[in-house]
Amino acid sequence: MRNPLLFAPALTLVLAAQDLPVRLQGALRLPADSLQALRGEWAASGQDRPYWDACLAYALVSQLGSREPKAMEALLDRTLKALESRRDGESLALHGACLGLKLGFRPAMAMTLSAQASGLFAQALKAAPDNPRALLLQGIHVLHTPAFAGGGPGKALPILEAAVRAADGEPA
């Protein structure tokens, strides 16, 4: 296991950034209490950016879904509703990823939710074919999809490798 102090300089840079969206991009690496604090700060800022709200919700539900299922499912439902009207590639991929999280709360809806998520990932990659975040979210979704349903590590690896190549090609 890596020493968490090794990441302290990077975390300090992320948290010290003046631009709140830059800080939110680092949210998936933060512990749940830091995510809650960042979410409160974001809400207090008065900025209405559904994509960034959804990023925070995705991170929180990923971490707290099993510990606080009712609250996290309610947050996820609000997030899914907010993402419904978004049509940019990243938002479509995030919407698909959030539907994947919804499967954890409603496994009986797997056929429907998985098909919807796959459709959203296809739309996302059509809108933004080389977007590393869209590819990453799709890769994570495929990784957690059972092999009998077309997922698993072997299917996810090429998508995740494409996400790395796309990220390497993005400007810093």
Side-chain angles (χ1 to χ4, degrees), residues 98-135:
C98 287
L99 285 174
L101 290 177
K102 182 75 174 173
L103 283 168
F105 298 106
R106 302 287 174 209
M109 296 178 66
M111 296 291 276
T112 304
L113 293 175
S114 188
Q116 288 176 330
S118 293
L120 286 165
F121 286 122
Q123 289 176 42
L125 293 174
K126 185 176 180 183
D130 295 322
N131 185 295
R133 287 157 299 282
L135 288 163

Side-chain angles (χ1 to χ4, degrees), residues 21-171:
V22 171
R23 290 174 56 202
L24 290 171
Q25 285 177 326
L28 287 174
R29 296 182 293 256
L30 298 176
D33 57 342
S34 296
L35 286 170
Q36 292 282 30
L38 189 56
R39 187 165 179 253
E41 185 178 336
W42 180 254
S45 76
Q47 298 183 52
D48 182 29
R49 296 186 184 169
Y51 176 78
W52 297 114
D53 291 338
C55 284
L56 277 171
Y58 176 82
L60 277 167
V61 173
S62 294
Q63 288 191 30
L64 298 176
S66 62
R67 286 188 278 168
E68 301 176 23
K70 287 183 181 181
M72 291 300 105
E73 186 177 14
L75 173 60
L76 190 56
D77 288 341
R78 288 191 304 273
T79 301
L80 288 166
K81 185 152 182 66
L83 287 170
E84 283 177 354
S85 63
R86 309 273 304 180
R87 293 290 158 234
D88 60 284
E90 286 191 33
S91 294
L92 288 165
L94 188 55
H95 192 168
C98 287
L99 285 174
L101 290 177
K102 182 75 174 173
L103 283 168
F105 298 106
R106 302 287 174 209
M109 296 178 66
M111 296 291 276
T112 304
L113 293 175
S114 188
Q116 288 176 330
S118 293
L120 286 165
F121 286 122
Q123 289 176 42
L125 293 174
K126 185 176 180 183
D130 295 322
N131 185 295
R133 287 157 299 282
L135 288 163
L136 176 64
L137 289 169
Q138 182 189 29
I140 291 169
H141 179 77
V142 170
L143 178 66
H144 293 288
T145 300
F148 70 83
K155 299 282 183 163
L157 184 59
I159 300 167
L160 295 170
E161 289 172 338
V164 170
R165 285 191 303 277
D168 287 344
E170 265 195 343

